[in-house]
Amino acid sequence: MNTYDLIVLGGGAGGLTVAAGAASLGANVALVEKNRNLGGDCLHFGCVPSKAFITSAKKVFEAKKSAETYGMTLSGKPDITKAMARVKEAIAEIQAEDSHERFQDLGVDIYQGKGRIIKEHHIQVEEETDIKGKRVVIATGSRPVIPPIQGIESTSYLTNETTFDVSKTPKRLLVIGGGPIGLELAQSFARFGSEVTILEGNSTIFGQEDEDVISVIKTQLEKELTFQLNARVKKVREENGTKVVTYEQSGYEENIVVDDILMATGRKPNTDDMGLDKIGVNLDDRGNIVVNDYLQTSKSHIYAIGDTNGKFPFTHAAGMEGKLVVRNALFGIKGKVSYENVPWVTYTDPQVFHLGLTEKEARENHHIKVFKVNTRDVDRFVTDRDLSGFIKVITDHKGHILGAHALGTNAGDWMQEIVFAKTQGHKIGDISNVIHPYPTHGAILQQSADLYWRGKLFDGMLPKVAEKYIQWFR
């Protein structure tokens, strides 16, 4: 039986971070992955393919818009198979970075197959190979949740795992679920010509976002998508090559006939059938592994990161957790995890950026100041004719950044400066002193910081003192 310093279960973003980091520091590492290729859901079914598809859809959309704006004639229909080919190309190129050979060259032993914990330090791979580890990291990711809808078991549908294999654009597409995955894919299909309806059980979309963001992004997306809110799907059936979906809304049942259904009803951690119950690893009622601030499970030598612990279901958060676990598991440094400075972006068009507290959350515990700048007041956005977005920065009374939110084209890119500022403990006013080339989108951050100084310098006693000094000074 081979014995390791660290065994990693799962070869996705978090697991690969742990395996590469630990091996580079001299640890003897085993990586167990059930699929043929490394990279996990993000590479093969999530972040990478969806962003490649979104980019293709945006090019189609901009081509149509440009033709209308500049009096050109655009002919033909977009071929979705071309977009899916680009998706596969992107996956293949990134897959090379996550190859078996690369990790083997780092000194990682790779075991292909499903890993199960048979004893506290023992992992069995496909009932054939047993390995032993001093420490174990569970990073097995998640999969789509399919709710128990009447008739769903006999009805074909898409998920994020099958969407990128479609060979034609559905004329009428129903998306069940209005979360980030559903919204991103819905808009992309709409731009390829689908008539898209979204059924969402809540009263709004983007429920975790700042209230100012919700109202604007909903209005923007309604130009391309049809929303049915407070809607609960009751049953589905296939009929003459189409799908008939019955849903309840405001006490009434409605039917909608579509050509395809995309299930975007959330994610479920891949923690079942791993033997966790046999050794006493605690799970919550959703199947998430319960961890402490050091990402340890109820068995201190076993750690859980990424979608398996249900804390912060983003690829970049899994990578951050993975780095922390390398320190904690190998060296016992006992660093605590913190999500305070971890942003997220929803890649609709326009993009929605989120960092820290919303205004409502901040007001509950802080005396706050809010600095808001609209894109129509920033020259670069004006030249781009991108006038419907904004930035909103929330600080305490001393200028410490509590939260930042933005809506706009590529907001996830031009908001990175404030992530750095918050992470490093800078105040909002510090950004005002950074020289931004003119004209750039990042100037919107500088203008928000200028608002801070304007209030600081010109609304207090300083103008009166300055006036007296100027009169005195010769």
Side-chain angles (χ1 to χ4, degrees):
M1 178 186 297
N2 291 331
T3 301
Y4 295 91
D5 299 314
L6 191 66
I7 297 176
V8 181
L9 299 178
L16 295 182
T17 298
V18 175
S24 298
L25 291 170
N28 189 16
V29 180
L31 175 63
V32 181
E33 168 56 44
K34 66 179 181 180
N35 295 316
R36 183 170 60 89
N37 293 316
L38 302 177
D41 190 80
C42 177
L43 174 57
H44 299 288
F45 310 117
C47 319
V48 171
S50 66
K51 302 314 168 280
F53 184 36
I54 287 168
T55 299
S56 294
K58 187 172 183 179
K59 289 181 182 296
V60 169
F61 177 76
E62 289 179 341
K64 294 177 181 177
K65 188 167 65 172
S66 294
E68 294 172 358
T69 301
Y70 299 107
M72 299 184 295
T73 301
L74 193 66
S75 62
K77 294 183 178 180
D79 184 349
I80 202 167
T81 63
K82 302 290 186 183
M84 296 312 173
R86 287 169 61 94
V87 167
K88 300 298 190 296
E89 290 171 4
I91 293 172
E93 288 190 32
I94 297 175
Q95 179 67 70
E97 295 296 316
D98 291 343
S99 67
H100 283 229
E101 292 75 18
R102 179 190 169 215
F103 283 85
Q104 288 167 341
D105 288 344
L106 289 171
V108 178
D109 288 348
I110 299 176
Y111 293 84
Q112 186 177 339
K114 182 177 176 60
R116 297 185 74 255
I117 301 175
I118 53 176
K119 295 179 184 178
E120 287 199 5
H121 293 272
H122 294 256
I123 306 297
Q124 186 179 71
V125 184
E126 293 295 332
E127 300 182 357
E128 297 176 358
T129 305
D130 291 352
I131 55 178
K132 183 179 180 181
K134 184 178 179 182
R135 302 280 188 271
V136 176
V137 178
I138 302 173
T140 47
S142 62
R143 62 185 185 274
V145 169
I146 307 301
I149 300 169
Q150 181 182 336
I152 195 66
E153 67 282 347
S154 57
T155 303
S156 60
Y157 55 84
L158 300 170
T159 70
N160 72 297
E161 294 182 354
T162 58
T163 291
F164 307 108
D165 293 322
V166 300
S167 57
K168 65 177 181 179
T169 303
K171 183 179 180 181
R172 297 164 298 181
L173 176 66
L174 178 69
V175 179
I176 302 178
I181 294 173
L183 292 172
E184 291 175 1
L185 294 178
Q187 187 180 42
S188 296
F189 274 107
R191 291 179 167 188
F192 270 94
S194 294
E195 184 181 300
V196 182
T197 300
I198 296 177
L199 295 184
E200 168 56 42
N202 293 313
S203 60
T204 188
I205 55 173
F206 288 95
Q208 290 184 296
E209 301 301 334
D210 189 90
E211 291 181 356
D212 286 349
V213 169
I214 295 172
S215 60
V216 179
I217 187 62
K218 185 173 181 292
T219 299
Q220 290 291 97
L221 292 180
E222 283 176 336
K223 297 175 182 178
E224 302 179 63
L225 308 170
T226 299
F227 290 95
Q228 297 294 343
L229 303 177
N230 293 312
R232 186 167 67 90
V233 180
K234 303 279 287 187
K235 58 185 177 181
V236 299
R237 71 179 190 275
E238 293 211 37
E239 186 177 281
N240 299 323
T242 62
K243 280 88 172 173
V244 181
V245 179
T246 303
Y247 64 96
E248 183 181 305
Q249 187 180 47
S250 301
Y252 297 93
E253 286 194 356
E254 303 283 349
N255 288 327
I256 182 171
V257 180
V258 295
D259 300 292
D260 228 328
I261 298 170
L262 171 61
M263 300 295 291
T265 46
R267 309 283 299 174
K268 179 180 180 180
N270 293 323
T271 56
D272 46 345
D273 193 31
M274 289 184 62
L276 298 175
D277 55 333
K278 293 181 179 179
I279 64 167
V281 172
N282 295 333
L283 306 178
D284 67 15
D285 56 3
R286 296 175 61 87
N288 298 308
I289 299 174
V290 178
V291 295
N292 61 17
D293 289 342
Y294 310 106
L295 298 172
Q296 292 170 299
T297 70
S298 48
K299 295 294 180 180
S300 61
H301 69 286
I302 300 177
Y303 297 76
I305 64 173
D307 288 3
T308 63
N309 65 34
K311 295 290 186 180
F312 221 76
F314 299 97
T315 297
H316 51 286
M320 178 269 290
E321 291 174 340
K323 293 177 182 178
L324 181 65
V325 160
V326 170
R327 278 175 31 192
N328 290 353
L330 292 186
F331 303 107
I333 295 176
K334 304 286 283 185
K336 290 186 178 182
V337 68
S338 172
Y339 304 100
E340 186 178 329
N341 298 317
V342 182
W344 71 72
V345 179
T346 303
Y347 294 91
T348 49
D349 184 20
Q351 291 180 5
V352 174
F353 172 91
H354 182 121
L355 173 66
L357 302 178
T358 64
E359 181 179 347
K360 182 179 180 181
E361 291 168 341
R363 286 193 186 281
E364 292 175 358
N365 296 300
H366 301 273
H367 175 63
I368 68 169
K369 294 185 177 181
V370 178
F371 306 96
K372 186 175 179 180
V373 178
N374 296 308
T375 56
R376 63 175 174 269
D377 297 321
V378 181
D379 290 357
R380 181 54 192 268
F381 288 100
V382 173
T383 63
D384 292 350
R385 312 311 298 150
D386 186 5
L387 308 178
S388 61
F390 65 88
I391 178 180
K392 182 177 185 179
V393 181
I394 303 141
T395 74
D396 64 13
H397 67 286
K398 292 183 178 180
H400 294 108
I401 301 165
L402 301 175
H405 307 271
L407 180 73
T409 303
N410 298 323
D413 294 328
W414 42 262
M415 287 295 288
Q416 286 306 301
E417 185 178 7
I418 203 161
V419 179
F420 174 82
K422 187 175 187 299
T423 301
Q424 298 301 316
H426 290 286
K427 297 181 180 180
I428 181 63
D430 294 341
I431 296 177
S432 181
N433 298 321
V434 177
I435 300 173
H436 295 73
Y438 178 86
T440 61
H441 300 107
I444 195 170
L445 281 164
Q446 185 177 33
Q447 288 186 212
S448 67
D450 289 347
L451 289 177
Y452 167 81
W453 282 118
R454 193 171 301 164
K456 197 84 170 174
L457 298 177
F458 305 136
D459 293 343
M461 289 294 296
L462 184 60
K464 297 178 180 178
V465 174
E467 181 183 5
K468 295 292 184 182
Y469 179 81
I470 291 169
Q471 293 173 352
W472 169 82
F473 180 70
R474 295 291 184 267

